[in-house]
Every structure is written in C-alpha cells, then in structure tokens.
Amino acid sequence: DAKTTQPTSMDCAEGRAANLPCNHSTISGNEYVYWYRQIHSQGPQYIIHGLKNNETNEMASLIITEDRKSSTLILPHATLRDTAVYYCIVKPTGNQFYFGTGTSLTVIP
Amino acid sequence: GAVVSQHPSWVICKSGTSVKIECRSLDFQATTMFWYRQFPKQSLMLMATSNEGSKATYEQGVEKDKFLINHASLTLSTLTVTSAHPEDSSFYICSSRRLAGLYEQYFGPGTRLTVT
C-alpha cells in the first residue's frame, strides 16, 4: 500500500472549515484514498473515500488532486465534536487497513 | 451505518491469566474480521486477520500462540490474550469487513485491557 504523510497536528476555530492534507505521492492506479477519524478512546469512524473524483457526503468533502498524489479532507463547519485524530489511508479495495500516525485536529472554541 | 460491538468494553485481569474479547458484527455477515492493538498516544497496529472457518493470519511480530483468534461464525470473532502480562495492557479494537457496502470496514468501540 502507498505510504501517506500527514501533519502531526492542526488547530481549527469552531465554525470554520478544517482542511486536512494528505500526501500520497506513490499511489497506484488501483488504490483508493480513505479517511477515518478516531475520537479519544473510541474505535475509528469512517468519514469518506474516493478513487480520483472529488467526493462529498454529509460529514465531509474529499478533494483529490488530478495527479492523485495528494488529497484534502474538508470539514466545512468544524465543531468541538470534530476534535479527533484523522487518518488518511491509501490502499487497494479489499486489502487490510494499515494506520499511520494521522493528524490530531483540535477544534478551538 | 453497520454496527460492530465488542465485549467487554474494559477488563482488568491479573498477570498470568487469560482474557477473551468478543467482536460481533450485528447487522451483516462478516467473512473477515480484523484485530488491532493501540497503545497510549500511538496509532492502531494491525495484529491479525480473522477469516471465518479458517486459521487467522498474523502480522509479523505478533505471537499467534499468545493471541488466539477464533472466528467460528459469520458474526463472531474472539481474541484470547493468553498468560497476560502488564505489557499486554492496551486498547484492542476489532473491525468487520462486508464485501458489499460503502466502505469495507466497520470498527468496534474497542476493549481496554489492563493487566495488573
């Protein structure tokens, strides 16, 4: 699976958009970009995933660059409950999930 | 979304004893389940892949005789930590994979194991 690089931590003001970047420069054509988050002492929660097109659901938007070497997860209006560790994982469908260190997002009142 | 449960949510045991953790897929059949371990302030580490009706596949460095996995039905996988030691204290998380769905894996809430 392709390696991902994420910033260790980020802050975001409550009500503002949170933009979480992820670099995956070695991504292969059959690898999807998945985003999960983990709130303290809970299991990871699925957010969104995509292959090459931008995706949006009720939780977030996923923007994937045209060359697919990086992506950005956007939480449009961050709330205090969005404080969590966000994991970007790149893998072919069907493979196991291997988690990196993720980005610790703190939403500030 | 799909629900995966774990039992117990937390457990304290004495060193040398064995502890069993259950992972149940509540609303779909899971031919494959995964077990993760997470130490404080660290990321999740995949321990093993559990396949219904066959032997589990362990990741490198994970002792299969210490962490016994049984996946006897399509909705239940169990992880038994045998002869537990304080260094086995961790947060254990399972996930279930559904072949058809929005996002392959659904994670349980985790089990906090403390070995005294």
Side-chain angles (χ1 to χ4, degrees):
Chain A
D1 300 348
K3 178 179 170 58
T4 62
T5 303
Q6 298 178 252
T8 303
S9 63
M10 293 180 65
D11 293 338
C12 177
E14 187 179 17
R16 305 295 295 269
N19 297 282
L20 291 89
C22 179
N23 285 319
H24 32 80
S25 59
T26 60
I27 191 171
S28 301
N30 67 337
E31 291 184 311
Y32 286 74
V33 180
Y34 292 83
W35 283 85
Y36 278 77
R37 73 180 182 184
Q38 185 180 26
I39 296 170
H40 182 64
S41 294
Q42 297 182 24
Q45 176 190 23
Y46 167 82
I47 302 173
I48 200 166
H49 80 286
L51 183 61
K52 56 182 178 180
N53 296 323
N54 297 337
E55 303 287 339
T56 296
N57 62 21
E58 64 278 5
M59 288 183 67
S61 295
L62 173 61
I63 308 299
I64 302 174
T65 58
E66 192 169 343
D67 63 8
R68 300 185 71 236
K69 293 184 177 182
S70 66
S71 60
T72 301
L73 177 74
I74 302 173
L75 307 179
H77 305 286
T79 70
L80 298 179
R81 288 179 294 181
D82 291 323
T83 292
V85 178
Y86 288 77
Y87 296 99
C88 167
I89 301 165
V90 172
K91 72 172 192 72
T93 183
N95 280 17
Q96 296 89 326
F97 281 96
Y98 291 96
F99 286 78
T101 54
T103 296
S104 178
L105 174 69
T106 301
V107 180
I108 302 170
Chain B
V3 178
V4 175
S5 70
Q6 286 184 236
H7 177 80
S9 56
W10 60 270
V11 57
I12 302 173
C13 72
K14 292 187 176 180
S15 187
T17 62
S18 296
V19 175
K20 180 184 287 188
I21 301 170
E22 294 185 348
C23 176
R24 292 183 183 275
S25 177
L26 298 183
D27 57 356
F28 69 91
Q29 293 182 331
T31 55
T32 305
M33 290 184 172
F34 304 89
W35 286 96
Y36 295 82
R37 180 168 55 182
Q38 185 174 34
F39 293 109
K41 298 187 177 181
Q42 294 186 23
S43 186
L44 286 80
M45 184 191 78
L46 179 65
M47 298 176 66
T49 301
S50 167
N51 297 296
E52 187 267 337
S54 64
K55 291 183 178 180
T57 303
Y58 291 81
E59 296 295 306
Q60 191 172 9
V62 178
E63 300 176 58
K64 62 180 181 180
D65 294 331
K66 180 169 182 63
F67 299 99
L68 302 179
I69 292 173
N70 184 278
H71 192 162
S73 79
L74 289 173
T75 59
L76 174 65
S77 176
T78 60
L79 168 69
T80 301
V81 183
T82 63
S83 187
H85 291 286
E87 56 265 32
D88 298 323
S89 298
S90 188
F91 193 49
Y92 291 87
I93 304 169
C94 72
S95 69
S96 295
R97 183 165 77 189
R98 182 166 64 182
L99 292 179
L102 287 176
Y103 48 92
E104 308 173 22
Q105 285 192 34
Y106 304 80
F107 287 82
T111 297
R112 176 76 58 190
L113 170 63
T114 301
V115 184
T116 61

